[in-house]
Amino acid sequence: MAATAPSKKAKAPRTAMPEQDPKVRARNFEEVALGYTAEMALAEAGRCLQCKKPACRKGCPVEIDIPGFIKQITAGDLDEAYAVLRQTNSLPAVCGRVCPQETQCEGSCIVGKKGEPVAIGRLERFVADTHLAKTACETVTGGPACSMPRDDLKVACIGSGPASLTCAGYLAARGIPVTVFEALHEVGGVLVYGIPEFRLPKAVVRQEVEAMKALGVEFKTNWVGGKTITVPELLESGYSAVFIGVGAGLPRFLGVPGENLIGVFSANEYLTRVNLGRAYKFPATDTPTFPAKHVVVFGGGNVAMDAARTAMRLGADKVSLAYRRTEHEMPCRREELHHAKEEGLDILCLNAPVEFIGDETGRLKQIVLQRMELGEPDESGRCSPVACQGDTCTLEADMAIVAVGTGANPLISQTTPGLETYRRGYIVADPATGETSIPNVFAGGDIVTGAATVISAMGAGRRAAKAIADRLLGGAATDMPPDNAAEDSADA
Amino acid sequence: MPSRILRKRKLIPGMTSELVIEAPHIAAKALPGNFVILRVWEDGERIPLTIADADKETGTITLVYLVMGKTTAHLETLDAGDDILDLCGPLGRATEIHKVDGPVICVGGGTGIAAMHHIAKGHHMAGNLVVTIIGARCEDLLLFRDELCSFCPEVLIATNDGSCGRQGLVTDLLVEMLENDKTVAEVVAVGPVPMMRAVAEATRPFGVKTTVSLNSIMVDGIGMCGACRVSVGGETRFACVDGPEFDGHAVDFGELGARLTAFKDQERLSYEEFKSHGCNCSK
């Protein structure tokens, strides 16, 4: 062992992130992770080796120049660090918080091969937060407001989640006017209705959106794509291109008896009530949810973790998570699982629901669970759960939250003749450009891939925006110095 | 962007009002059967209301509501010239309207009469013979009589206390009609759950197509949460995108009625707070 030890000086350990105490935070909606101080950020930035061919950048779906922005932190120029981030990422304060860095940039970091990787996400967040405390538009554009030199062109983005916001931000930075149509009353998609305040404060999303408004992006809320306005109508009314980024928001249910009892919620409903409706402040706010003693959440993804941790904060005595497989197969971020366990989440692995039982008023009172065991791997490579016949148990529970995935909402495809879709209504789009079967109509994010991550949706939004800008501006699109320069250095 | 209230008419003082709202992009698309989701103030909840009428020319829609809790009471404090913070629509599938051979009977109860009005008008415009039956506890609570009379050859009335029309229920009048006229093509019912259920049971023996417009609890109204789910023919459907109109003979009204009570304690609490402190938004 000693003989193979690295000859370089021992690496400093990864700088820890201050967090709220688990006992305290399990009862409030304040952000769990508190962010680096300037000293912590400087110490952590010093751990970066400044690789010539940075593997971390390849691991980032929007290819942030990671060594570039970290170098600026070390040099003490945070404005420049933010400018580097914003070259490729419209929402750095969001991504620094919610990306699964362990499988992306940090998962590819060389320092991580022999120790802990550089905390790229935490540094990104530090830079963005520090910067957003000042103004956003100025650093990106060098001016307080952006001109839209190409007012002969305009692009519509349907939906205002991460994919559309990224697409809109990229196009606006290239002088193309963009209108974003959002169905709900608040902009941000899953960032505002799905991811809870304690993981992503809404003020952070709002600040990022304000920065985009300063870039000249127009937002129309309460406009439902496919209802209030359709894709053909947008093209007819003079939009040169349309980007569809409406996500995969249609909740799946389990299809077991009793699922329509009072107290059984989709995770989407529960989280929308609490996050978008701010039901955690009820009755100061008007959207209700009701208190429950024992909450059981079904699923093993980030949405299940968010729902479970939300239920704890709303005062449940006990929150259990039932999952068909084992903890090892859970698709959620490890950090979320770790946080949820610290906060007291009870995990029931290898259990699947078979029936919800109600009282005479139609309210949930019990859940019957079926014990499972792991069988052979299925086509996804994961072991498929198999029921242990006759082995069931009954739990007392007054709330159940179903977080077993979502599907494609058909409102757009139903009202867009000629738009090609595949299995379960997802939109067919060219992987390189995002263009759909209709010329000048692009799509990206969950409505193409099915439910995935915030950052992969942003990657798709960025690819589509590049393709749209290339088409609308011709050679002009490649004249943008910052982005182009960054890419040249990556290829070098 | 907020939507301006252009006119307000108190239909039943303190209980039911009609708002004419400037919303050109919704009016341009609104068809019978569609609804909107609205939010009154910054910390308000989203509630669904059926579009009672729409006028493309003037760019307006008409909404009618019954004051039954915090949000509708808050809405009742607004007047012509005030704004509704958020107004989203038109949502839901439009009513399926075709030219049919026999008469279409449209039944409305309580505030549901306003929603029924838009559907009846649609059938009338499509060239169908429309007969309407409206019911309420007493004459003072009947809505939209003049509007319905303006295009319906027959507007039948039932009141519980007999103060107007027939004493009894709308279903009494409906059954008589079905017995006398075997050519009835379709029955449409909009109103409280017990009324729609009674209508569906009344028409079942006659085998007449019966459409009901369901009023389940909604949050987003665009199919992303399933709060509004109902069982129709044994299958779970979302009222906001698959409906709100369904085959009345296939709907599980018992489940719908129970689900409507899900938040009754919270609704009471919110309303009590509002009545004792008024609106908690800073004016």
Side-chain angles (χ1 to χ4, degrees), chain A residues 185 222 227-228 233 259-260 266 268 286 409, chain B residues 29 41 46 70 86 89 92 222 224-225 229 259:
Chain A
H185 59 260
N222 298 312
K227 285 284 181 187
T228 319
E233 285 163 355
E259 200 163 21
N260 293 345
S266 73
N268 268 14
D286 295 344
N409 191 313
Chain B
K29 292 282 180 70
W41 69 299
R46 298 166 64 92
K70 158 85 195 265
D86 294 296
I222 53 176
M224 54 174 264
C225 86
R229 63 196 192 273
R259 285 184 64 82

mmCIF file with all atom_site columns, all heavy atoms in Angstrom, chain A residues 185 222 227-228 233 259-260 266 268 286 409, chain B residues 29 41 46 70 86 89 92 222 224-225 229 259:
data_model
loop_
_atom_site.group_PDB
_atom_site.id
_atom_site.type_symbol
_atom_site.label_atom_id
_atom_site.label_alt_id
_atom_site.label_comp_id
_atom_site.label_asym_id
_atom_site.label_entity_id
_atom_site.label_seq_id
_atom_site.pdbx_PDB_ins_code
_atom_site.Cartn_x
_atom_site.Cartn_y
_atom_site.Cartn_z
_atom_site.occupancy
_atom_site.B_iso_or_equiv
_atom_site.pdbx_formal_charge
_atom_site.auth_seq_id
_atom_site.auth_comp_id
_atom_site.auth_asym_id
_atom_site.auth_atom_id
_atom_site.pdbx_PDB_model_num
ATOM 1   N N   . HIS A 1 185 ? -49.292 29.615 -12.437 1.00 0.00 ? 185 HIS A N   1
ATOM 2   C CA  . HIS A 1 185 ? -49.202 31.051 -12.167 1.00 0.00 ? 185 HIS A CA  1
ATOM 3   C C   . HIS A 1 185 ? -47.788 31.490 -11.798 1.00 0.00 ? 185 HIS A C   1
ATOM 4   O O   . HIS A 1 185 ? -47.544 32.668 -11.597 1.00 0.00 ? 185 HIS A O   1
ATOM 5   C CB  . HIS A 1 185 ? -50.216 31.467 -11.091 1.00 0.00 ? 185 HIS A CB  1
ATOM 6   C CG  . HIS A 1 185 ? -50.048 30.757 -9.782  1.00 0.00 ? 185 HIS A CG  1
ATOM 7   N ND1 . HIS A 1 185 ? -50.836 29.699 -9.411  1.00 0.00 ? 185 HIS A ND1 1
ATOM 8   C CD2 . HIS A 1 185 ? -49.178 30.939 -8.775  1.00 0.00 ? 185 HIS A CD2 1
ATOM 9   C CE1 . HIS A 1 185 ? -50.459 29.272 -8.221  1.00 0.00 ? 185 HIS A CE1 1
ATOM 10  N NE2 . HIS A 1 185 ? -49.447 30.006 -7.818  1.00 0.00 ? 185 HIS A NE2 1
ATOM 11  N N   . ASN A 1 222 ? -50.106 31.548 -16.784 1.00 0.00 ? 222 ASN A N   1
ATOM 12  C CA  . ASN A 1 222 ? -51.519 31.183 -16.997 1.00 0.00 ? 222 ASN A CA  1
ATOM 13  C C   . ASN A 1 222 ? -51.847 30.953 -18.471 1.00 0.00 ? 222 ASN A C   1
ATOM 14  O O   . ASN A 1 222 ? -52.994 31.063 -18.869 1.00 0.00 ? 222 ASN A O   1
ATOM 15  C CB  . ASN A 1 222 ? -52.466 32.250 -16.428 1.00 0.00 ? 222 ASN A CB  1
ATOM 16  C CG  . ASN A 1 222 ? -52.306 32.406 -14.927 1.00 0.00 ? 222 ASN A CG  1
ATOM 17  O OD1 . ASN A 1 222 ? -52.282 31.420 -14.201 1.00 0.00 ? 222 ASN A OD1 1
ATOM 18  N ND2 . ASN A 1 222 ? -52.166 33.630 -14.463 1.00 0.00 ? 222 ASN A ND2 1
ATOM 19  N N   . LYS A 1 227 ? -53.934 24.523 -25.003 1.00 0.00 ? 227 LYS A N   1
ATOM 20  C CA  . LYS A 1 227 ? -55.290 24.972 -24.629 1.00 0.00 ? 227 LYS A CA  1
ATOM 21  C C   . LYS A 1 227 ? -55.450 26.459 -24.970 1.00 0.00 ? 227 LYS A C   1
ATOM 22  O O   . LYS A 1 227 ? -56.171 26.817 -25.884 1.00 0.00 ? 227 LYS A O   1
ATOM 23  C CB  . LYS A 1 227 ? -55.524 24.752 -23.130 1.00 0.00 ? 227 LYS A CB  1
ATOM 24  C CG  . LYS A 1 227 ? -55.773 23.307 -22.767 1.00 0.00 ? 227 LYS A CG  1
ATOM 25  C CD  . LYS A 1 227 ? -57.184 22.921 -23.176 1.00 0.00 ? 227 LYS A CD  1
ATOM 26  C CE  . LYS A 1 227 ? -57.524 21.493 -22.827 1.00 0.00 ? 227 LYS A CE  1
ATOM 27  N NZ  . LYS A 1 227 ? -58.838 21.116 -23.377 1.00 0.00 ? 227 LYS A NZ  1
ATOM 28  N N   . THR A 1 228 ? -54.763 27.315 -24.197 1.00 0.00 ? 228 THR A N   1
ATOM 29  C CA  . THR A 1 228 ? -54.862 28.748 -24.450 1.00 0.00 ? 228 THR A CA  1
ATOM 30  C C   . THR A 1 228 ? -54.214 29.091 -25.794 1.00 0.00 ? 228 THR A C   1
ATOM 31  O O   . THR A 1 228 ? -54.685 29.974 -26.509 1.00 0.00 ? 228 THR A O   1
ATOM 32  C CB  . THR A 1 228 ? -54.182 29.542 -23.315 1.00 0.00 ? 228 THR A CB  1
ATOM 33  O OG1 . THR A 1 228 ? -54.503 28.937 -22.067 1.00 0.00 ? 228 THR A OG1 1
ATOM 34  C CG2 . THR A 1 228 ? -54.644 30.976 -23.289 1.00 0.00 ? 228 THR A CG2 1
ATOM 35  N N   . GLU A 1 233 ? -50.774 27.654 -33.913 1.00 0.00 ? 233 GLU A N   1
ATOM 36  C CA  . GLU A 1 233 ? -51.135 29.071 -33.768 1.00 0.00 ? 233 GLU A CA  1
ATOM 37  C C   . GLU A 1 233 ? -49.903 29.939 -33.532 1.00 0.00 ? 233 GLU A C   1
ATOM 38  O O   . GLU A 1 233 ? -49.815 31.062 -34.047 1.00 0.00 ? 233 GLU A O   1
ATOM 39  C CB  . GLU A 1 233 ? -52.112 29.263 -32.604 1.00 0.00 ? 233 GLU A CB  1
ATOM 40  C CG  . GLU A 1 233 ? -53.531 28.802 -32.924 1.00 0.00 ? 233 GLU A CG  1
ATOM 41  C CD  . GLU A 1 233 ? -54.386 28.606 -31.679 1.00 0.00 ? 233 GLU A CD  1
ATOM 42  O OE1 . GLU A 1 233 ? -53.872 28.740 -30.554 1.00 0.00 ? 233 GLU A OE1 1
ATOM 43  O OE2 . GLU A 1 233 ? -55.574 28.293 -31.848 1.00 0.00 ? 233 GLU A OE2 1
ATOM 44  N N   . GLU A 1 259 ? -57.256 3.188  -4.106  1.00 0.00 ? 259 GLU A N   1
ATOM 45  C CA  . GLU A 1 259 ? -56.320 4.292  -4.357  1.00 0.00 ? 259 GLU A CA  1
ATOM 46  C C   . GLU A 1 259 ? -56.998 5.654  -4.409  1.00 0.00 ? 259 GLU A C   1
ATOM 47  O O   . GLU A 1 259 ? -56.332 6.684  -4.320  1.00 0.00 ? 259 GLU A O   1
ATOM 48  C CB  . GLU A 1 259 ? -55.576 4.031  -5.664  1.00 0.00 ? 259 GLU A CB  1
ATOM 49  C CG  . GLU A 1 259 ? -54.300 4.812  -5.776  1.00 0.00 ? 259 GLU A CG  1
ATOM 50  C CD  . GLU A 1 259 ? -53.369 4.254  -6.840  1.00 0.00 ? 259 GLU A CD  1
ATOM 51  O OE1 . GLU A 1 259 ? -53.856 3.528  -7.750  1.00 0.00 ? 259 GLU A OE1 1
ATOM 52  O OE2 . GLU A 1 259 ? -52.189 4.523  -6.762  1.00 0.00 ? 259 GLU A OE2 1
ATOM 53  N N   . ASN A 1 260 ? -58.341 5.676  -4.565  1.00 0.00 ? 260 ASN A N   1
ATOM 54  C CA  . ASN A 1 260 ? -59.034 6.966  -4.605  1.00 0.00 ? 260 ASN A CA  1
ATOM 55  C C   . ASN A 1 260 ? -59.614 7.363  -3.248  1.00 0.00 ? 260 ASN A C   1
ATOM 56  O O   . ASN A 1 260 ? -60.411 8.290  -3.163  1.00 0.00 ? 260 ASN A O   1
ATOM 57  C CB  . ASN A 1 260 ? -60.126 6.956  -5.680  1.00 0.00 ? 260 ASN A CB  1
ATOM 58  C CG  . ASN A 1 260 ? -59.530 6.863  -7.077  1.00 0.00 ? 260 ASN A CG  1
ATOM 59  O OD1 . ASN A 1 260 ? -58.335 7.076  -7.263  1.00 0.00 ? 260 ASN A OD1 1
ATOM 60  N ND2 . ASN A 1 260 ? -60.349 6.521  -8.057  1.00 0.00 ? 260 ASN A ND2 1
ATOM 61  N N   . SER A 1 266 ? -51.156 11.795 -5.093  1.00 0.00 ? 266 SER A N   1
ATOM 62  C CA  . SER A 1 266 ? -49.968 11.670 -5.940  1.00 0.00 ? 266 SER A CA  1
ATOM 63  C C   . SER A 1 266 ? -48.927 12.594 -5.329  1.00 0.00 ? 266 SER A C   1
ATOM 64  O O   . SER A 1 266 ? -49.278 13.607 -4.706  1.00 0.00 ? 266 SER A O   1
ATOM 65  C CB  . SER A 1 266 ? -50.277 12.096 -7.380  1.00 0.00 ? 266 SER A CB  1
ATOM 66  O OG  . SER A 1 266 ? -50.407 13.498 -7.462  1.00 0.00 ? 266 SER A OG  1
ATOM 67  N N   . ASN A 1 268 ? -47.135 14.537 -6.935  1.00 0.00 ? 268 ASN A N   1
ATOM 68  C CA  . ASN A 1 268 ? -47.307 15.822 -7.621  1.00 0.00 ? 268 ASN A CA  1
ATOM 69  C C   . ASN A 1 268 ? -48.330 16.694 -6.913  1.00 0.00 ? 268 ASN A C   1
ATOM 70  O O   . ASN A 1 268 ? -48.124 17.891 -6.733  1.00 0.00 ? 268 ASN A O   1
ATOM 71  C CB  . ASN A 1 268 ? -47.773 15.603 -9.063  1.00 0.00 ? 268 ASN A CB  1
ATOM 72  C CG  . ASN A 1 268 ? -46.615 15.524 -10.032 1.00 0.00 ? 268 ASN A CG  1
ATOM 73  O OD1 . ASN A 1 268 ? -45.478 15.377 -9.625  1.00 0.00 ? 268 ASN A OD1 1
ATOM 74  N ND2 . ASN A 1 268 ? -46.916 15.626 -11.313 1.00 0.00 ? 268 ASN A ND2 1
ATOM 75  N N   . ASP A 1 286 ? -54.072 30.001 1.478   1.00 0.00 ? 286 ASP A N   1
ATOM 76  C CA  . ASP A 1 286 ? -55.390 29.374 1.334   1.00 0.00 ? 286 ASP A CA  1
ATOM 77  C C   . ASP A 1 286 ? -55.375 27.900 0.912   1.00 0.00 ? 286 ASP A C   1
ATOM 78  O O   . ASP A 1 286 ? -56.378 27.209 1.036   1.00 0.00 ? 286 ASP A O   1
ATOM 79  C CB  . ASP A 1 286 ? -56.221 30.144 0.295   1.00 0.00 ? 286 ASP A CB  1
ATOM 80  C CG  . ASP A 1 286 ? -56.536 31.563 0.749   1.00 0.00 ? 286 ASP A CG  1
ATOM 81  O OD1 . ASP A 1 286 ? -56.375 31.836 1.948   1.00 0.00 ? 286 ASP A OD1 1
ATOM 82  O OD2 . ASP A 1 286 ? -56.932 32.390 -0.096  1.00 0.00 ? 286 ASP A OD2 1
ATOM 83  N N   . ASN A 1 409 ? -47.685 14.439 -20.524 1.00 0.00 ? 409 ASN A N   1
ATOM 84  C CA  . ASN A 1 409 ? -48.982 15.091 -20.615 1.00 0.00 ? 409 ASN A CA  1
ATOM 85  C C   . ASN A 1 409 ? -49.348 15.256 -22.092 1.00 0.00 ? 409 ASN A C   1
ATOM 86  O O   . ASN A 1 409 ? -48.549 15.756 -22.876 1.00 0.00 ? 409 ASN A O   1
ATOM 87  C CB  . ASN A 1 409 ? -48.889 16.464 -19.930 1.00 0.00 ? 409 ASN A CB  1
ATOM 88  C CG  . ASN A 1 409 ? -50.240 17.107 -19.735 1.00 0.00 ? 409 ASN A CG  1
ATOM 89  O OD1 . ASN A 1 409 ? -51.055 17.152 -20.651 1.00 0.00 ? 409 ASN A OD1 1
ATOM 90  N ND2 . ASN A 1 409 ? -50.483 17.606 -18.547 1.00 0.00 ? 409 ASN A ND2 1
ATOM 91  N N   . LYS B 2 29  ? -61.203 31.095 -27.243 1.00 0.00 ? 29  LYS B N   1
ATOM 92  C CA  . LYS B 2 29  ? -61.151 29.634 -27.330 1.00 0.00 ? 29  LYS B CA  1
ATOM 93  C C   . LYS B 2 29  ? -62.265 28.938 -26.563 1.00 0.00 ? 29  LYS B C   1
ATOM 94  O O   . LYS B 2 29  ? -62.463 27.739 -26.725 1.00 0.00 ? 29  LYS B O   1
ATOM 95  C CB  . LYS B 2 29  ? -59.815 29.142 -26.729 1.00 0.00 ? 29  LYS B CB  1
ATOM 96  C CG  . LYS B 2 29  ? -58.583 29.491 -27.506 1.00 0.00 ? 29  LYS B CG  1
ATOM 97  C CD  . LYS B 2 29  ? -58.447 28.549 -28.681 1.00 0.00 ? 29  LYS B CD  1
ATOM 98  C CE  . LYS B 2 29  ? -57.224 28.855 -29.512 1.00 0.00 ? 29  LYS B CE  1
ATOM 99  N NZ  . LYS B 2 29  ? -55.976 28.535 -28.836 1.00 0.00 ? 29  LYS B NZ  1
ATOM 100 N N   . TRP B 2 41  ? -55.595 36.164 -4.897  1.00 0.00 ? 41  TRP B N   1
ATOM 101 C CA  . TRP B 2 41  ? -54.523 37.004 -4.349  1.00 0.00 ? 41  TRP B CA  1
ATOM 102 C C   . TRP B 2 41  ? -53.257 36.186 -4.210  1.00 0.00 ? 41  TRP B C   1
ATOM 103 O O   . TRP B 2 41  ? -53.231 34.980 -4.478  1.00 0.00 ? 41  TRP B O   1
ATOM 104 C CB  . TRP B 2 41  ? -54.949 37.618 -3.011  1.00 0.00 ? 41  TRP B CB  1
ATOM 105 C CG  . TRP B 2 41  ? -55.089 36.639 -1.888  1.00 0.00 ? 41  TRP B CG  1
ATOM 106 C CD1 . TRP B 2 41  ? -55.949 35.574 -1.839  1.00 0.00 ? 41  TRP B CD1 1
ATOM 107 C CD2 . TRP B 2 41  ? -54.344 36.597 -0.664  1.00 0.00 ? 41  TRP B CD2 1
ATOM 108 N NE1 . TRP B 2 41  ? -55.790 34.890 -0.662  1.00 0.00 ? 41  TRP B NE1 1
ATOM 109 C CE2 . TRP B 2 41  ? -54.813 35.494 0.084   1.00 0.00 ? 41  TRP B CE2 1
ATOM 110 C CE3 . TRP B 2 41  ? -53.332 37.399 -0.133  1.00 0.00 ? 41  TRP B CE3 1
ATOM 111 C CZ2 . TRP B 2 41  ? -54.290 35.179 1.348   1.00 0.00 ? 41  TRP B CZ2 1
ATOM 112 C CZ3 . TRP B 2 41  ? -52.833 37.074 1.125   1.00 0.00 ? 41  TRP B CZ3 1
ATOM 113 C CH2 . TRP B 2 41  ? -53.315 35.983 1.844   1.00 0.00 ? 41  TRP B CH2 1
ATOM 114 N N   . ARG B 2 46  ? -55.887 27.912 -5.821  1.00 0.00 ? 46  ARG B N   1
ATOM 115 C CA  . ARG B 2 46  ? -56.414 27.835 -7.181  1.00 0.00 ? 46  ARG B CA  1
ATOM 116 C C   . ARG B 2 46  ? -57.768 27.139 -7.102  1.00 0.00 ? 46  ARG B C   1
ATOM 117 O O   . ARG B 2 46  ? -57.865 26.061 -6.527  1.00 0.00 ? 46  ARG B O   1
ATOM 118 C CB  . ARG B 2 46  ? -55.468 27.019 -8.074  1.00 0.00 ? 46  ARG B CB  1
ATOM 119 C CG  . ARG B 2 46  ? -54.080 27.633 -8.227  1.00 0.00 ? 46  ARG B CG  1
ATOM 120 C CD  . ARG B 2 46  ? -53.089 26.642 -8.830  1.00 0.00 ? 46  ARG B CD  1
ATOM 121 N NE  . ARG B 2 46  ? -53.434 26.256 -10.180 1.00 0.00 ? 46  ARG B NE  1
ATOM 122 C CZ  . ARG B 2 46  ? -52.995 26.864 -11.280 1.00 0.00 ? 46  ARG B CZ  1
ATOM 123 N NH1 . ARG B 2 46  ? -52.162 27.882 -11.164 1.00 0.00 ? 46  ARG B NH1 1
ATOM 124 N NH2 . ARG B 2 46  ? -53.349 26.454 -12.473 1.00 0.00 ? 46  ARG B NH2 1
ATOM 125 N N   . LYS B 2 70  ? -63.790 30.393 2.008   1.00 0.00 ? 70  LYS B N   1
ATOM 126 C CA  . LYS B 2 70  ? -62.857 31.520 2.016   1.00 0.00 ? 70  LYS B CA  1
ATOM 127 C C   . LYS B 2 70  ? -62.671 32.150 0.636   1.00 0.00 ? 70  LYS B C   1
ATOM 128 O O   . LYS B 2 70  ? -62.811 33.355 0.472   1.00 0.00 ? 70  LYS B O   1
ATOM 129 C CB  . LYS B 2 70  ? -61.521 31.044 2.589   1.00 0.00 ? 70  LYS B CB  1
ATOM 130 C CG  . LYS B 2 70  ? -60.299 31.875 2.201   1.00 0.00 ? 70  LYS B CG  1
ATOM 131 C CD  . LYS B 2 70  ? -60.085 33.072 3.100   1.00 0.00 ? 70  LYS B CD  1
ATOM 132 C CE  . LYS B 2 70  ? -59.108 34.069 2.506   1.00 0.00 ? 70  LYS B CE  1
ATOM 133 N NZ  . LYS B 2 70  ? -57.743 33.921 2.955   1.00 0.00 ? 70  LYS B NZ  1
ATOM 134 N N   . ASP B 2 86  ? -54.863 35.758 -11.036 1.00 0.00 ? 86  ASP B N   1
ATOM 135 C CA  . ASP B 2 86  ? -54.541 34.742 -12.033 1.00 0.00 ? 86  ASP B CA  1
ATOM 136 C C   . ASP B 2 86  ? -55.805 34.118 -12.577 1.00 0.00 ? 86  ASP B C   1
ATOM 137 O O   . ASP B 2 86  ? -56.711 33.764 -11.816 1.00 0.00 ? 86  ASP B O   1
ATOM 138 C CB  . ASP B 2 86  ? -53.680 33.631 -11.408 1.00 0.00 ? 86  ASP B CB  1
ATOM 139 C CG  . ASP B 2 86  ? -52.322 34.128 -10.980 1.00 0.00 ? 86  ASP B CG  1
ATOM 140 O OD1 . ASP B 2 86  ? -51.549 34.535 -11.855 1.00 0.00 ? 86  ASP B OD1 1
ATOM 141 O OD2 . ASP B 2 86  ? -52.057 34.129 -9.765  1.00 0.00 ? 86  ASP B OD2 1
ATOM 142 N N   . GLY B 2 89  ? -57.100 29.408 -18.611 1.00 0.00 ? 89  GLY B N   1
ATOM 143 C CA  . GLY B 2 89  ? -58.063 28.589 -19.323 1.00 0.00 ? 89  GLY B CA  1
ATOM 144 C C   . GLY B 2 89  ? -58.019 28.847 -20.813 1.00 0.00 ? 89  GLY B C   1
ATOM 145 O O   . GLY B 2 89  ? -57.123 29.541 -21.285 1.00 0.00 ? 89  GLY B O   1
ATOM 146 N N   . GLY B 2 92  ? -60.205 21.780 -19.690 1.00 0.00 ? 92  GLY B N   1
ATOM 147 C CA  . GLY B 2 92  ? -61.156 20.662 -19.813 1.00 0.00 ? 92  GLY B CA  1
ATOM 148 C C   . GLY B 2 92  ? -61.591 20.452 -21.250 1.00 0.00 ? 92  GLY B C   1
ATOM 149 O O   . GLY B 2 92  ? -61.361 21.293 -22.125 1.00 0.00 ? 92  GLY B O   1
ATOM 150 N N   . ILE B 2 222 ? -54.637 20.994 -15.086 1.00 0.00 ? 222 ILE B N   1
ATOM 151 C CA  . ILE B 2 222 ? -54.025 20.658 -16.372 1.00 0.00 ? 222 ILE B CA  1
ATOM 152 C C   . ILE B 2 222 ? -53.508 19.220 -16.403 1.00 0.00 ? 222 ILE B C   1
ATOM 153 O O   . ILE B 2 222 ? -52.674 18.874 -17.230 1.00 0.00 ? 222 ILE B O   1
ATOM 154 C CB  . ILE B 2 222 ? -52.900 21.651 -16.744 1.00 0.00 ? 222 ILE B CB  1
ATOM 155 C CG1 . ILE B 2 222 ? -51.892 21.767 -15.596 1.00 0.00 ? 222 ILE B CG1 1
ATOM 156 C CG2 . ILE B 2 222 ? -53.483 23.008 -17.098 1.00 0.00 ? 222 ILE B CG2 1
ATOM 157 C CD1 . ILE B 2 222 ? -50.701 22.659 -15.902 1.00 0.00 ? 222 ILE B CD1 1
ATOM 158 N N   . MET B 2 224 ? -51.788 17.415 -14.068 1.00 0.00 ? 224 MET B N   1
ATOM 159 C CA  . MET B 2 224 ? -50.511 17.008 -13.498 1.00 0.00 ? 224 MET B CA  1
ATOM 160 C C   . MET B 2 224 ? -50.557 16.544 -12.041 1.00 0.00 ? 224 MET B C   1
ATOM 161 O O   . MET B 2 224 ? -49.513 16.265 -11.467 1.00 0.00 ? 224 MET B O   1
ATOM 162 C CB  . MET B 2 224 ? -49.462 18.097 -13.673 1.00 0.00 ? 224 MET B CB  1
ATOM 163 C CG  . MET B 2 224 ? -49.861 19.443 -13.161 1.00 0.00 ? 224 MET B CG  1
ATOM 164 S SD  . MET B 2 224 ? -48.475 20.562 -13.274 1.00 0.00 ? 224 MET B SD  1
ATOM 165 C CE  . MET B 2 224 ? -47.856 20.403 -11.612 1.00 0.00 ? 224 MET B CE  1
ATOM 166 N N   . CYS B 2 225 ? -51.761 16.436 -11.454 1.00 0.00 ? 225 CYS B N   1
ATOM 167 C CA  . CYS B 2 225 ? -51.728 16.008 -10.051 1.00 0.00 ? 225 CYS B CA  1
ATOM 168 C C   . CYS B 2 225 ? -52.719 14.916 -9.684  1.00 0.00 ? 225 CYS B C   1
ATOM 169 O O   . CYS B 2 225 ? -52.484 14.152 -8.776  1.00 0.00 ? 225 CYS B O   1
ATOM 170 C CB  . CYS B 2 225 ? -51.870 17.205 -9.121  1.00 0.00 ? 225 CYS B CB  1
ATOM 171 S SG  . CYS B 2 225 ? -53.551 17.701 -8.743  1.00 0.00 ? 225 CYS B SG  1
ATOM 172 N N   . ARG B 2 229 ? -59.338 13.151 -9.514  1.00 0.00 ? 229 ARG B N   1
ATOM 173 C CA  . ARG B 2 229 ? -59.624 11.851 -10.121 1.00 0.00 ? 229 ARG B CA  1
ATOM 174 C C   . ARG B 2 229 ? -60.971 11.297 -9.686  1.00 0.00 ? 229 ARG B C   1
ATOM 175 O O   . ARG B 2 229 ? -61.402 11.462 -8.549  1.00 0.00 ? 229 ARG B O   1
ATOM 176 C CB  . ARG B 2 229 ? -58.490 10.856 -9.890  1.00 0.00 ? 229 ARG B CB  1
ATOM 177 C CG  . ARG B 2 229 ? -58.186 10.484 -8.477  1.00 0.00 ? 229 ARG B CG  1
ATOM 178 C CD  . ARG B 2 229 ? -56.803 9.813  -8.424  1.00 0.00 ? 229 ARG B CD  1
ATOM 179 N NE  . ARG B 2 229 ? -56.525 9.171  -7.152  1.00 0.00 ? 229 ARG B NE  1
ATOM 180 C CZ  . ARG B 2 229 ? -55.999 9.795  -6.109  1.00 0.00 ? 229 ARG B CZ  1
ATOM 181 N NH1 . ARG B 2 229 ? -55.724 11.083 -6.190  1.00 0.00 ? 229 ARG B NH1 1
ATOM 182 N NH2 . ARG B 2 229 ? -55.761 9.147  -4.995  1.00 0.00 ? 229 ARG B NH2 1
ATOM 183 N N   . ARG B 2 259 ? -64.906 12.215 -1.738  1.00 0.00 ? 259 ARG B N   1
ATOM 184 C CA  . ARG B 2 259 ? -63.661 12.948 -2.004  1.00 0.00 ? 259 ARG B CA  1
ATOM 185 C C   . ARG B 2 259 ? -63.849 14.466 -1.863  1.00 0.00 ? 259 ARG B C   1
ATOM 186 O O   . ARG B 2 259 ? -62.910 15.181 -1.509  1.00 0.00 ? 259 ARG B O   1
ATOM 187 C CB  . ARG B 2 259 ? -63.101 12.605 -3.389  1.00 0.00 ? 259 ARG B CB  1
ATOM 188 C CG  . ARG B 2 259 ? -62.442 11.237 -3.444  1.00 0.00 ? 259 ARG B CG  1
ATOM 189 C CD  . ARG B 2 259 ? -61.796 10.944 -4.794  1.00 0.00 ? 259 ARG B CD  1
ATOM 190 N NE  . ARG B 2 259 ? -60.695 11.854 -5.105  1.00 0.00 ? 259 ARG B NE  1
ATOM 191 C CZ  . ARG B 2 259 ? -59.451 11.726 -4.649  1.00 0.00 ? 259 ARG B CZ  1
ATOM 192 N NH1 . ARG B 2 259 ? -59.137 10.716 -3.861  1.00 0.00 ? 259 ARG B NH1 1
ATOM 193 N NH2 . ARG B 2 259 ? -58.521 12.590 -4.993  1.00 0.00 ? 259 ARG B NH2 1
#
